Amino acid sequence: MAPAPRVRFAPSPTGYLHIGGARTALFNYLYAKRHGGVFILRIEDTDQERSTPESVKAILDGLTWLGIDWDEGPGKEGSAAPYFQTQRLDLYKKYVDQLIAEGKAYRCYCTREEIDARRAAVEKATGKPGTYKYEGTCRDRKDIPEGRTAVVRFRMPDGEGEVTFNDKVLGPITKAYSDLDDWVMMRADGIPLYNYGCVIDDHTMDINLVGRGQEHVNSTFPQLMLYKAFGWQPPEFAHFPLILGPDREKLSKRKHPEADVMLHKRNGVLPEALLNYVIRLGWSHGNDEVISREQMVEWFDFDHVGSTSGVWSPDKLMWLNQQWLKLLPPTVVAERLVEFLAAKGVQLKAGDPRLERVVMAFRERAKTLQEMVDMALKYFQHGVTLDEKAAAKHLTAESKPLLTQVREQVAALPQWSAAALDEVVKKVSEQASVGMGKVAQPVRVAVTGGTVSPGIGETLELLGREETLHRLDAALNRP
């Protein structure tokens, strides 16, 4: 029986949680949950300029908002702690010293300027940029040049050979030894580079499956050489397709603001919708479009992860968000409206019955929480600005008696409910022998300022008795 998966998400803090990173986290999280495994969050914070406390917080906040909860990681210490690479430097030194002692790694004293000069010479001679490979200048060096620091390089085996692994998404992939060079494992200041640090971390954390983006496929080969050098069993690998922007270039925050997970939160996108959209950018389950978290856990596997890049579609995200606005319990959506209303100066507490009325009134029309609040804002203000064209058409001498009757009858209602309010409009129209539109539209314009709103009963219920009467009076008192 296969061991339960131990999978990880290991982002580098850059000031925000990237959409691609969120999808990687989601895929790993779902795989762990489906197979009874453990999902570990590890922070690769060795870039001290960008790895600030604020950057780390941005990752934690993004995952928390999406509901991608980790079993072990920051704030949830387990046997694999610590979970920040800068707290694991002694571990990297221990293993690099072991490799040097075994002749499988060595200190390289070549300066960056020397390497750059040799690279430029090779590229000039061959006319092929990016083909330079380190020559092994320091492989057998015994002296320690005075005044020079040293990086540590992995010593590739001599002779012919190849590295192969069977990717759970892409299938078998092979690279010849001749395509690899003596790559740098550790900087002179003791900071591990990606290919070294992640192997030490994955091994010591008992990670048995590494799921990450396709941009890391080529990193797998030197990492596998490192596993071989230590005599360790490597994990399985799964590489996920890229996410492209609408311009078909790789999604990046510099070119594509939508790459930032929390931008979508600020725009009023629901986490359920964003997860639903992101998973469908690289995985499918038949023709299913609207997929719940429970279904994701039940259905997800790497068999249906695609190999081709997904293209970001704002329209598709908006469509899914609207579906989730309608699918989620109104109480849930109502709670999430509070902060958006507060940003507009409307202070309501979670549980206020008006919040749920807003959801019921606008969830068929709004695509985001922000749009819902924009539509509802006029219902929480005192008074309303009339659209003059609408007023000229509907607030006329002919409609004034009808408006007066509505005002008198709603004021006398013992219960302020949409059904009772609709009944008043219906009754007034029947008494005047006119269609309901002849009554409802003047009322709608009087209380909302325009000709479009939810049903007239819903509209008046949402406004409340006091505000409805105030606006009807203002319309009736127009010159």
Side-chain angles (χ1 to χ4, degrees):
M1 184 177 178
R6 284 180 63 85
V7 300
R8 49 75 166 174
F9 175 50
S12 298
T14 57
Y16 72 108
L17 177 61
H18 190 281
I19 283 289
R23 189 189 61 181
T24 294
L26 177 62
F27 281 5
N28 283 291
Y29 168 86
L30 293 174
Y31 188 79
K33 294 305 169 189
R34 180 179 182 189
H35 297 284
V38 177
F39 176 61
I40 297 170
L41 175 61
R42 185 174 75 226
I43 307 295
E44 298 188 343
D45 62 337
T46 53
D47 184 340
Q48 292 300 285
E49 287 188 9
R50 302 209 296 176
S51 297
T52 62
E54 293 76 19
S55 291
V56 173
K57 185 176 184 297
I59 290 172
L60 304 184
D61 287 349
L63 292 174
T64 300
W65 176 66
L66 289 170
I68 302 175
D69 195 15
W70 51 98
D71 300 303
E72 294 183 27
K76 295 186 178 181
E77 301 298 304
S79 60
Y83 300 96
F84 291 83
Q85 285 192 323
T86 52
Q87 298 172 13
R88 301 169 65 84
L89 299 183
D90 289 347
L91 195 65
Y92 307 131
K93 183 179 185 304
K94 168 189 168 182
Y95 284 109
V96 89
D97 287 347
Q98 176 185 328
L99 288 181
I100 291 173
E102 294 173 354
K104 297 172 181 176
Y106 59 92
R107 291 186 174 86
C108 173
Y109 296 92
C110 297
T111 65
R112 181 182 294 275
E113 291 74 22
E114 289 171 341
I115 295 290
D116 288 345
R118 299 204 298 256
R119 177 182 292 107
V122 168
E123 291 181 351
K124 182 177 180 182
T126 62
K128 297 178 180 178
T131 57
Y132 171 76
K133 293 196 302 179
Y134 180 70
E135 305 90 341
T137 305
C138 294
R139 264 188 160 212
D140 301 309
R141 193 166 191 166
K142 304 300 182 186
D143 64 313
I144 302 177
E146 188 176 346
R148 288 199 179 193
T149 57
V151 300
V152 177
R153 288 184 180 270
F154 181 78
R155 187 184 187 111
M156 280 293 296
D158 296 319
E160 298 296 317
E162 60 184 27
V163 193
T164 297
F165 72 98
N166 189 39
D167 191 279
K168 292 177 76 67
V169 173
L170 304 173
I173 310 176
T174 299
K175 187 178 282 288
Y177 283 3
S178 58
D179 289 335
L180 303 171
D181 67 354
D182 290 359
W183 48 278
V184 176
M185 300 167 55
M186 183 179 283
R187 294 184 347 204
D189 59 3
I191 298 296
L193 271 69
Y194 173 72
N195 284 337
Y196 174 60
C198 75
V199 167
I200 301 303
D201 291 336
D202 287 344
H203 174 73
T204 55
M205 292 181 175
D206 296 321
I207 301 300
N208 53 23
L209 186 137
V210 172
R212 57 193 179 187
Q214 282 183 11
E215 65 269 28
H216 294 295
V217 166
N218 284 330
S219 297
T220 310
F221 301 105
Q223 290 169 18
L224 287 171
M225 295 303 300
L226 196 52
Y227 278 103
K228 184 177 180 181
F230 280 117
W232 295 340
Q233 176 68 34
E236 293 184 282
F237 292 90
H239 288 92
F240 313 136
L242 299 177
I243 299 177
L244 307 180
D247 57 0
R248 306 264 170 172
E249 292 190 26
K250 183 181 175 183
L251 198 69
S252 68
K253 192 178 178 184
R254 183 173 61 84
K255 292 184 178 180
H256 312 103
E258 59 267 37
D260 182 357
V261 164
M262 297 304 272
L263 172 73
H264 301 287
K265 179 180 186 294
R266 294 189 293 273
N267 287 345
V269 172
L270 299 165
E272 292 84 357
L274 190 58
L275 282 179
N276 191 161
Y277 180 64
V278 162
I279 196 173
R280 290 289 285 108
L281 279 174
W283 171 88
S284 61
H285 185 272
N287 294 321
D288 293 278
E289 292 284 357
V290 180
I291 305 171
S292 69
R293 181 188 299 269
E294 292 73 24
Q295 290 169 324
M296 291 179 193
V297 172
E298 180 185 350
W299 295 339
F300 183 81
D301 218 325
F302 294 125
D303 292 348
H304 293 108
V305 173
S307 58
T308 57
S309 300
V311 179
W312 188 268
S313 169
D315 291 342
K316 185 63 176 289
L317 175 59
M318 288 298 98
W319 179 82
L320 273 172
N321 203 59
Q322 190 169 42
Q323 303 312 303
W324 279 102
L325 283 173
K326 292 184 284 188
L327 282 171
L328 286 173
T331 52
V332 172
V333 181
E335 287 177 6
R336 297 175 186 176
L337 281 178
V338 172
E339 64 178 292
F340 289 90
L341 283 165
K344 298 285 189 178
V346 179
Q347 302 295 330
L348 295 181
K349 292 182 178 180
D352 189 308
R354 289 174 293 176
L355 289 168
E356 197 167 335
R357 290 181 199 142
V358 167
V359 175
M360 297 303 294
F362 296 107
R363 64 181 182 176
E364 295 288 341
R365 298 171 175 81
K367 294 180 181 177
T368 68
L369 293 172
Q370 188 63 66
E371 279 190 9
M372 188 174 282
V373 164
D374 290 341
M375 291 176 180
L377 198 58
K378 67 177 67 176
Y379 296 88
F380 295 97
Q381 297 168 335
H382 186 57
V384 68
T385 301
L386 300 179
D387 176 271
E388 287 304 323
K389 286 187 178 179
K393 181 176 180 180
H394 295 285
L395 300 182
T396 62
E398 181 184 11
S399 67
K400 193 170 184 178
L402 300 174
L403 211 56
T404 300
Q405 291 180 50
V406 169
R407 196 265 183 231
E408 291 173 353
Q409 292 189 35
V410 298
L413 282 176
Q415 182 181 5
W416 194 264
S417 68
L421 292 160
D422 277 331
E423 187 60 33
V424 167
V425 173
K426 180 182 178 183
K427 184 178 177 182
V428 170
S429 65
E430 288 175 349
Q431 289 173 343
S433 300
V434 297
M436 278 190 65
K438 291 288 187 180
V439 179
Q441 275 302 78
V443 172
R444 181 173 283 110
V445 173
V447 299
T448 70
T451 57
V452 179
S453 81
I456 195 63
E458 287 181 274
T459 299
L460 301 183
E461 182 184 45
L462 191 55
L463 276 171
R465 186 190 303 266
E466 184 178 335
E467 185 62 25
T468 295
L469 297 178
H470 169 76
R471 295 186 187 188
L472 287 173
D473 287 340
L476 288 168
N477 289 329
R478 275 169 54 88

